[in-house]
Amino acid sequence: MADITAPAYRTIPIVPALKPGAMEGKGPYIANDKHQEALGFPGQLVDNWHDKAIAKMGELLGKFRSLRVYMDACVHCGACADKCHYFIGTQDPKNMPVARQDLMRSVYRRYFTFAGKYFPKLVGARDLTREVLDEWYNYFHQCSECRRCSVFCPYGIDTAEVTMAAREILASIGMGQKYSNEIIGKVHKIGNNLGLPEPALRDTLEGLEEDVKDDTGLDIRFPLDVKGAEVLLITPSADFFAEPHIDGLIGYAKVFHATGTSWTLSSMASEGANFGMFIGSYDQLRKIALRIREAALELGVKRIVVGECGHAWRVAYSFWNTLSGVGDGADETDRFAQMLQRQLDHRYKQPTHICEFTWDLIQRDALKFDKSKNDKYVITFHDSCNVARGSRMGDTPGGQFEIPRNIIKAVANNFVEMDPNTTRERTFCCGGGGGLLTDDLMDLRVKGALPRMEVLNQAVQQHGVNYMAAICAICKTQFSKVMPVYGFDRRMVGGVHQLVSNAIILGDN
Amino acid sequence: MSILVAILFYFAVLVFAAGLIYRIGLYARTPAPLKIPTTPAPTTRGGVVLRMTREVVLFESLFKGNLWTWAMGWLFHVSLAVVTVRHLRYFLEPVPAWVGFIQPFGQYAGITMVIGLFGLWARRLFVERIRYISTPSDHLWLVVLIVIGLSGLLMSFVVHTDVIGVKNFFVGLLQFRIGAVPSDILLLGHLFLVFALLALFPISKLLHAPGVFFSPTRNQTDNPREHRHLSAWASKLESEN
């Protein structure tokens, strides 16, 4: 960390000049054979990697319309070029979304199009060489799959889809990423990303009950594996002990306590995160999601509520129904999904975001707050990319922006917005999403945070902001790590439910 | 010469139609296994139709992304649409009233089309990041379109070609009758490039035109919690369990 310094803020956020090669390198650590093989990938780069990679690309082109269309449709208009936080922060032209896509598109053209086969130079097609492969590994691990580029593309081309495909191809020939694959291994083996086994988790939760009792004088429970509970809470495992995440977990527990909701965590599915999305593997995405289905069936819960986590909410909201049947509206003949959907209570949305849960209670006057408890804070809200551009809350489009803000305004007096070009669907990624939240990418993480830090700094100067709320475990971890590099207090970042926790008035129920 | 032009015409139209049908079929057949609309997204089918219409007619996302590219790109595309409709008069006898109505606009649209194209090319040449991402074919397509536009404008405004002759030729071709094409170098150049454009359309970046309609981030309804979305290959995974 010592040698990593923050890039200077730009006074007017103009498009930075290109610095070709600025982020050339080897990329993050490559997964070893143990981590690879645990997920069914080859341990080392296979001998016939060239043919296998092209075959895999062909397979993915046939399975994913997004990839198929996005490889063809780009006209190099450049609308996306200055939208990526990694490009703005690093100035490496290969971090422009269109250039990142072209790392793969050039190979696609060479092997799958007429023009690329016969006139490669004309259309910028190239052979898949070892150098190209290394370049893929490096630059497809400088994308956090945040989808900001897709907002501005006239064809809706989503670089995240291309990055996922590239990572899937790389993993399938033996070049998986250590950070993500190791973590996925832990999810399957132990139940969560942190590798916290059931007894340790139970201990942690009991310790938490004692701490909260000391703090509030109340018996606020953190139940684990309770059969017949109404609500199953699926939350990122960072909530169990990382700072500031844990204060959010306490907030959820207080909301459940205040309304007398019976709830439980699951040791089998003690993880909301789903890194299967990051590595672009439908197979892993599905396997990880199936744990939640299994836990829900086993515990017999009526509702599934998801804690503050960005990509986890995208997976839960957008993919769970497809992957595991957590949702509504399955065919009568769809036995797989119906098995679970008959059990769930469809007066509620399945799954429900914890912010939807809390906001619903606030609207029904079921929660009381002392807003002055948050008066020491001037609060702003950082929209987390996956929530903003890959999901929804509530009944209307954009509910994912309104509901967290509504909660903040209901529990605190001082709320201000950041520059509207960088909030809601135009929000910047924190710089650590998409499987990049690893120490071996610290330089990238610091530079990728630059756009958000610039805008935050504006809000600090203008409004005296001293609390940036976020509803994502990765945002929270990333910001508390990189904000000190930019001269901010690490405790400036926190959850929405941390604010709820501060202000909530608990009776004796 | 007339026979050559006729052969190229039939060839270009055939390749254009067959290639496009093949490509669109490919897009349509390829499943979209996951719900990935870029949110906020419409929650109803009607809302999606509206979103797509705004995208295709107004280039809504590009407008958000870059005002210059949007202005030049939109000017070019709208002008091209008007110009194309105007050209129907060379294929239809009698000329429908609405095609006749558009005639004066169509001629000036030729000018705005070329202005738009030069604007887009200027970005490619002078904006550093756009120059970086441009391939030779990106430049070449703009040149082809500019030459098509300029040659057309020259024939409209400066060196008039024998439009009656042109019309007789193409009305004839539509009835599989090969007449005589006016041997005018501007006209032949114009036609040759248009045929090339048609024939290359299905194997080039011009596929963005059908592609946008199949883009899952734009054409999907935001209702994953309400309806289970399942592709054929994904549902097979379930029966294997």
Side-chain angles (χ1 to χ4, degrees), chain A residues 4-194:
Chain A
I4 293 171
T5 51
Y9 293 140
R10 299 158 301 157
T11 38
I12 309 161
I14 44 163
V15 181
L18 306 185
K19 279 194 203 159
M23 293 301 283
E24 260 170 23
K26 292 190 168 132
Y29 296 140
I30 292 185
N32 65 25
D33 42 3
K34 201 179 71 194
H35 299 140
Q36 279 281 94
E37 280 158 13
L39 309 187
F41 297 127
Q44 302 283 335
L45 185 64
V46 296
D47 290 336
N48 55 343
W49 57 265
H50 176 276
D51 296 351
K52 272 197 75 178
I54 299 301
K56 188 74 186 177
M57 191 189 285
E59 180 198 325
L60 295 178
L61 284 167
K63 279 172 125 174
F64 292 89
R65 184 185 292 165
S66 52
L67 188 67
R68 167 66 77 193
V69 172
Y70 297 160
M71 282 294 110
D72 279 347
C74 179
V75 298
H76 294 161
C77 79
C80 63
D82 54 347
K83 303 302 188 288
C84 174
H85 55 289
Y86 288 122
F87 168 64
I88 297 171
T90 67
Q91 297 174 251
D92 189 320
K94 285 179 185 157
N95 277 332
M96 295 191 286
V98 46
R100 194 189 313 284
Q101 295 164 22
D102 269 3
L103 298 177
M104 180 184 278
R105 190 173 288 116
S106 55
V107 174
Y108 162 76
R109 287 199 168 140
R110 185 77 179 106
Y111 296 87
F112 295 94
T113 71
F114 177 85
K117 274 177 195 157
Y118 300 103
F119 309 98
K121 286 251 164 57
L122 185 66
V123 294
R126 55 184 189 161
D127 290 319
L128 180 61
T129 61
R130 186 57 217 257
E131 287 71 36
V132 171
L133 207 60
D134 290 340
E135 197 179 33
W136 278 21
Y137 188 80
N138 185 38
Y139 286 103
F140 284 117
H141 288 100
Q142 297 187 30
C143 167
S144 57
E145 304 174 351
C146 84
R147 318 182 88 206
R148 188 166 193 261
C149 46
S150 85
V151 172
F152 302 100
C153 174
Y155 320 112
I157 298 175
D158 181 4
T159 310
E161 295 291 308
V162 180
T163 294
M164 289 172 194
R167 292 186 187 174
E168 165 84 337
I169 293 170
L170 286 166
S172 76
I173 58 170
M175 279 179 85
Q177 184 214 20
K178 173 175 183 276
Y179 171 73
S180 294
N181 289 4
E182 184 178 7
I183 278 177
I184 293 174
K186 281 189 212 161
V187 167
H188 291 312
K189 213 166 152 192
I190 303 166
N192 53 60
N193 286 5
L194 294 171

Side-chain angles (χ1 to χ4, degrees), chain A residues 15 17-18 61-65 68-70 72-73 75-79 81-83 93-94 96 98 108 114 121-122 147 150-156 158 161 282 286 313-314 317-319 321-322 328-329 334 336-337 349-351 356 388-392 394 397-398 400-401 425-426, chain B residues 23 26-43 55 59 61-62 64-66 69 123-124 128-130 132-138 140 203-208 211-212 214-219 222-231 233-234 237-238 241:
Chain A
V15 181
L18 306 185
L61 284 167
K63 279 172 125 174
F64 292 89
R65 184 185 292 165
R68 167 66 77 193
V69 172
Y70 297 160
D72 279 347
V75 298
H76 294 161
C77 79
D82 54 347
K83 303 302 188 288
K94 285 179 185 157
M96 295 191 286
V98 46
Y108 162 76
F114 177 85
K121 286 251 164 57
L122 185 66
R147 318 182 88 206
S150 85
V151 172
F152 302 100
C153 174
Y155 320 112
D158 181 4
E161 295 291 308
Y282 187 93
R286 180 167 173 274
W313 179 240
R314 182 181 181 200
Y317 174 86
S318 293
F319 304 157
N321 202 357
T322 297
D328 200 353
D334 181 349
F336 175 85
K349 292 188 180 351
Q350 304 286 0
E356 292 180 303
R389 292 184 284 261
S391 80
R392 175 161 55 97
Q400 68 270 36
F401 310 132
E425 73 263 36
R426 294 172 181 230
Chain B
R23 216 64 201 167
L26 194 62
Y27 294 159
R29 274 199 317 276
T30 310
L34 292 167
K35 281 277 196 175
I36 59 164
T38 306
T39 59
T43 54
E55 201 63 85
F59 303 180
S61 297
L62 185 58
K64 290 188 222 164
N66 189 297
T69 311
R123 277 184 61 74
R124 269 200 205 290
E128 188 191 22
R129 62 181 186 282
I130 315 289
Y132 178 91
I133 55 173
S134 298
T135 61
S137 76
D138 294 329
L140 205 57
I203 55 164
S204 71
K205 70 183 230 179
L206 304 187
L207 283 171
H208 66 276
V212 62
F214 291 92
S215 176
T217 61
R218 293 292 181 271
N219 73 12
D222 177 23
N223 61 356
R225 286 192 287 193
E226 289 75 18
H227 295 282
R228 185 160 198 240
H229 172 87
L230 202 58
S231 68
W233 66 260
L237 298 173
E238 276 160 25
N241 283 356

Side-chain angles (χ1 to χ4, degrees), chain B residues 54-174:
Chain B
R54 289 199 307 274
E55 201 63 85
V56 172
V57 177
L58 302 174
F59 303 180
E60 183 182 38
S61 297
L62 185 58
F63 181 77
K64 290 188 222 164
N66 189 297
L67 218 49
W68 266 109
T69 311
W70 174 83
M72 292 300 139
W74 194 77
L75 185 67
F76 158 62
H77 281 88
V78 169
S79 305
L80 176 65
V82 175
V83 167
T84 307
V85 171
R86 185 185 87 81
H87 277 70
L88 288 177
R89 72 187 295 109
Y90 301 124
F91 297 88
L92 303 174
E93 185 59 43
V95 176
W98 57 279
V99 175
F101 171 78
I102 217 159
Q103 171 70 7
F105 305 104
Q107 288 192 303
Y108 292 106
I111 300 175
T112 51
M113 178 179 117
V114 172
I115 293 172
L117 286 166
F118 272 111
L120 290 172
W121 200 15
R123 277 184 61 74
R124 269 200 205 290
L125 291 171
F126 302 120
V127 179
E128 188 191 22
R129 62 181 186 282
I130 315 289
R131 188 168 61 232
Y132 178 91
I133 55 173
S134 298
T135 61
S137 76
D138 294 329
H139 291 281
L140 205 57
W141 273 122
L142 286 169
V143 173
V144 165
L145 285 161
I146 286 172
V147 174
I148 291 174
L150 284 179
S151 57
L153 284 176
L154 280 175
M155 285 185 283
S156 275
F157 293 108
V158 187
V159 213
H160 299 284
T161 194
D162 172 13
V163 282
I164 311 284
V166 172
K167 177 155 187 171
N168 285 338
F169 178 68
F170 279 105
V171 171
L173 285 188
L174 291 188

